[in-house]
Amino acid sequence: MGATVRVGEVRSPVTAQGSEGETGILRCFGQQLRLLRTSRGLTRAELGAKLGYGEDMVTSVELGRRIPRPEFIDRADAILEAGGLLTVMKEEVARARYPAFFREVLCVHAMLQHLASLTV
């Protein structure tokens, strides 16, 4: 189990896996990538070579353990002739890079910036 953080009076574990919402999109993306790869008759090593990544990166992405960069997603979509199936998930995959608490901080920061622009 990971470290413990205090949220009000409640203690909740923080793991490297993140919340279900964060890892769910990564697993979904990975499953789509694997289905497309296998339907094209490519091994993980072959796809990795075409993408400019190693087999281990493709494996990690397919298993939802690594967050692919936008370039990886764009190239995979083109190479696998996915017709945008992978690129449509790019924004959600990118959001998974940040822990939930930080996404909330970014939202508050954006609102504060907006309010500050209205009062100037």
Side-chain angles (χ1 to χ4, degrees):
M1 226 193 283
T4 303
V5 293
R6 191 177 297 266
V7 180
E9 293 295 313
V10 179
R11 291 181 159 269
S12 61
V14 178
T15 65
Q17 297 298 320
S19 73
E20 182 63 31
E22 294 165 15
T23 59
I25 186 65
L26 298 179
R27 285 195 307 265
C28 179
F29 180 85
Q31 290 169 353
Q32 293 298 321
L33 181 66
R34 185 182 68 240
L35 287 170
L36 288 164
R37 175 183 59 76
T38 58
S39 73
R40 302 301 186 266
L42 295 172
T43 65
R44 288 174 171 160
E46 290 168 334
L47 178 58
K50 290 177 181 279
L51 290 169
Y53 289 89
E55 178 181 359
D56 58 332
M57 176 64 173
V58 175
T59 300
S60 293
V61 171
E62 285 185 355
L63 296 175
R65 293 188 307 220
R66 297 245 353 235
I67 301 171
R69 294 183 129 324
E71 304 81 39
F72 179 103
I73 297 171
D74 290 336
R75 287 199 297 228
D77 195 87
I79 289 166
L80 297 171
E81 299 173 351
L85 181 66
L86 298 176
T87 56
V88 76
M89 291 188 271
K90 192 165 36 173
E91 282 186 37
E92 288 300 318
V93 168
R95 281 190 201 121
R97 288 188 181 279
Y98 303 106
F101 76 88
F102 189 70
R103 288 193 303 268
E104 292 172 13
V105 168
L106 290 175
C107 183
V108 169
H109 179 70
M111 287 189 305
L112 289 173
Q113 282 185 318
H114 176 71
L115 290 173
S117 72
L118 296 176
T119 59
V120 172

